[in-house]
Amino acid sequence: MDSLDPLRRLAVEQARNRVLMIGAAVGLAWLALVWLFAFFGPEAEAEGQGAVGWPLWLVGVLLPLALVWLAVWSARSLLILRLEAEELRAMLARMQGEGAAAEPMAEPRPVAPAPAPAVRRSPVPPTPRPAADARQAMLELDSPPETELTATELFHALNFPDGPEDREAIRCLRLALADPGMARLIRAAQDVVTLLAGQGVYMDELAMPQTDPALWRRFAEGARGEAVAALAVIRDEDALASAGAMLRSDEVFRDVAHHFLRHFDRLMSRKAQDSDAELLAVLAETRSGRAFTLLAQVTGMLGRTGTEAEDEAAEAR
């Protein structure tokens, strides 16, 4: 854990307490103003008469209070969400730094030539051929084979850890960041999810109905538009509108989103060649997969949105 994390949490807690105190002060000020108006207003006696006057008066008193405390609750929740986003970004930065620091440590491994014991055992003087073999062995040690992530590890890496205690997801995320291609995808996905959350679009709140894995295989093989329109399963109109508005008006988000779409599309194409189609559907249910589905649906990669398809079906009936 970063040494600054306790300070960040303390600052956020103090800010949340200040918001609470401001809300309480505004609420008390409003009640005091209502009390003064009720007892000293010119129409206090007239408003107290009649059966309709009192309900309207109570609504006029309570509605501003409800709005004040709704704003307080929203501000306190936003502070927590910003803290969690900063902690996730800091955790990813630390993992990338640990991976970069581990690579130079692996370089001194090929210092000793591998065929030296064989030379001592053989009575034949060394020839240029063993020297070439030694150079080849050293080259093999310099570039160790990359380890392919399992389906479970890939799922946890693309879904991101739920917090510092989610050690299995952190381990899988560290393995993914060790691969340069996966690291680019993970960073792009994290940026997209964070930017969408800043506009109130949260991946955990997007409903993702089950889809046909064969359609995801067809999409990974290059099908687009109406051929895979059944994959456009997101029905949250607010999320679709927010993502579309960000793509149109925010140039930074547009660049990050298209970068993420390319890398995730390449991952799906690669997994379609050596994995079962069920894995593609499972990856689409991760937080990264939900962001991909949302953006693909907005950009037209999946043809019509689910709402448009339902409207056309209703018109046909």
Side-chain angles (χ1 to χ4, degrees):
M1 179 180 292
D2 192 351
S3 59
L4 296 178
D5 287 346
L7 296 178
R8 294 195 190 99
R9 290 187 174 274
L10 179 60
V12 169
E13 189 62 30
Q14 291 177 349
R16 295 177 79 238
N17 291 335
R18 284 197 298 271
V19 170
L20 186 61
M21 292 173 60
I22 292 173
V26 172
L28 291 175
W30 170 251
L31 291 177
L33 183 62
V34 170
W35 183 82
L36 291 174
F37 182 80
F39 282 90
F40 300 103
E43 299 179 359
E45 297 180 357
E47 290 180 357
Q49 299 175 358
V52 181
W54 277 106
L56 293 177
W57 189 81
L58 286 177
V59 170
V61 172
L62 297 179
L63 183 59
L65 285 178
L67 294 176
V68 168
W69 286 107
L70 178 61
V72 170
W73 176 83
S74 301
R76 287 165 60 88
S77 301
L78 182 60
L79 289 172
I80 289 295
L81 290 175
R82 287 180 177 175
L83 175 63
E84 293 177 352
E86 290 178 0
E87 289 180 348
L88 179 59
R89 187 180 293 275
M91 182 172 57
L92 290 174
R94 289 197 301 271
M95 291 179 182
Q96 295 170 10
E98 292 174 1
E103 291 179 359
M105 297 175 61
E107 293 180 0
R109 291 171 60 188
V111 292
V119 172
R120 289 195 298 268
R121 290 195 299 267
S122 174
V124 182
T127 62
R129 178 64 177 274
D133 293 341
R135 289 194 298 270
Q136 183 179 359
M138 292 177 66
L139 289 175
E140 292 177 357
L141 289 174
D142 284 338
S143 57
E146 297 180 355
T147 57
E148 186 73 15
L149 294 178
T150 65
T152 302
E153 291 171 343
L154 185 60
F155 175 86
H156 286 303
L158 292 176
N159 199 49
F160 302 127
D162 291 328
E165 302 301 326
D166 195 355
R167 299 188 178 182
E168 177 61 19
I170 293 175
R171 182 188 70 84
C172 298
L173 186 60
R174 184 178 288 114
L175 290 176
L177 291 174
D179 178 73
M182 283 297 302
R184 287 190 290 269
L185 171 58
I186 293 295
R187 286 194 295 268
Q190 194 266 340
D191 290 339
V192 167
V193 171
T194 302
L195 291 173
L196 287 172
Q199 298 298 320
V201 181
Y202 305 103
M203 298 302 102
D204 291 338
E205 296 179 359
L206 290 180
M208 288 286 292
Q210 291 185 351
T211 54
D212 186 1
L215 287 177
W216 279 112
R217 179 179 291 279
R218 192 182 306 168
F219 176 85
E221 292 173 351
R224 295 293 185 270
E226 294 300 321
V228 290
L231 295 178
V233 294
I234 295 179
R235 302 291 191 268
D236 192 333
E237 294 298 331
D238 292 336
L240 292 170
S242 298
M246 292 174 68
L247 284 172
R248 289 190 299 271
S249 60
D250 191 337
E251 184 177 354
V252 174
F253 177 78
R254 183 166 58 249
D255 293 340
V256 172
H258 286 296
H259 181 70
F260 164 66
L261 288 173
R262 285 195 301 271
H263 282 287
F264 198 92
D265 189 19
R266 292 173 185 172
L267 173 67
M268 298 290 277
S269 300
R270 188 169 67 252
K271 290 301 176 184
Q273 299 174 3
D274 55 7
S275 302
D276 189 81
E278 191 69 27
L279 175 62
L280 304 180
V282 171
L283 295 182
E285 296 178 1
T286 62
R287 292 186 176 102
S288 299
R290 294 181 182 212
F292 177 80
T293 304
L294 176 65
L295 294 178
Q297 190 167 333
V298 171
T299 56
M301 295 174 64
L302 302 180
R304 302 164 299 171
T305 63
T307 304
E308 291 173 345
E310 289 179 353
D311 293 342
E312 290 188 6
E315 292 178 359
R317 290 195 296 267

